[in-house]
Amino acid sequence: MESEVTVAAETDASFLAPLWGVLDSIAGAIWAVLHPILTTIDPLCGPVGIFKLFFSNGVLACGDTGWGDDVASGFYVTASLAICTLPLGLVIGFFIALAKQSDEPFLRSAGDIYTTIFRGLPELLTLFIIYFGLPLILEQALRPFGRTEPVAINPFIAGMVAIGVVFSAYCSEVLQSAFKAIPHGQYEGGDALGLHRGQTMRLVIIPQLVRIALPGLGNLWMTLLKDTALVSAIGLPDILRQSGIAAKVTKQAFFFYGLACILFLVLAILSSFIFSWIETKARRAEVRH
């Protein structure tokens, strides 16, 4: 499963090779620590995993006799991609929302252009531009400096960035609406208490912003989960790609694509429970205050 989950960056001849070497070393060290734990608690192919308990003699058997390990690794890649993309999209979306709230016309225009572009482009096209187009742009930009080596981008990072910028564009709209729902007197109250704008934002505005924006962000998270399936187009071994390979080899397309549907639904249901719990906690905190 290690070889499937760890996606190597094809940058041996790239000027980014030292950076990717450091990242790969860090990832390898983390994997060495986490692998025994994940192997034990693996819900699909672990000692008490579903595939191992119920499909040990079928096409979903774990190990060399079946496709259980491959599908399980795709499940973890999809979950990891979504989890890594969420904070990236939230941070970018927050600053884009701030820019669109700014008194500076330039910042407002830049925010509007950003959201228009990434909400208007198909997600798959955005992914292709970043994965295939960005290396070409970097190569051309670095030629005057004597860099002639090809530039390659890790497909996991390309998928994270592509889905993240699309998510951030929609996220900024949700956060902007939440900003507008907060009375301006909240800022004035912070000024009256002697708080500078950073403290007012951190202590007064953001807690309210989170409570207001949570339902919309939950819907965007579900969309993000589905968009992770697009990375199969650039070779990342996610649920859809691993299921597709298994379907082609075994000629059991309905079974494996049906399994992919079930795994995506499992992620969606778990996410629904988590967001419902967070929203309940947020409402209780609002009542207490």
Side-chain angles (χ1 to χ4, degrees), residues 95-115:
F95 284 107
I96 294 299
L98 284 180
K100 297 177 75 171
Q101 294 284 110
S102 174
D103 295 329
E104 293 291 334
F106 172 75
L107 291 177
R108 291 199 305 271
S109 298
D112 289 336
I113 292 172
Y114 180 92
T115 55

Side-chain angles (χ1 to χ4, degrees), residues 173-198:
E173 295 295 317
V174 172
L175 294 178
Q176 186 184 17
S177 298
F179 271 121
K180 291 179 178 179
I182 299 174
H184 190 71
Q186 300 287 335
Y187 298 92
E188 297 173 351
D191 294 338
L193 292 173
L195 302 175
H196 59 71
R197 278 307 169 96

Side-chain angles (χ1 to χ4, degrees), residues 2 15 26 71 79 108 224 265 274:
E2 178 179 359
F15 76 100
I26 295 174
V71 175
R108 291 199 305 271
L224 187 154
L265 286 174
I274 293 172

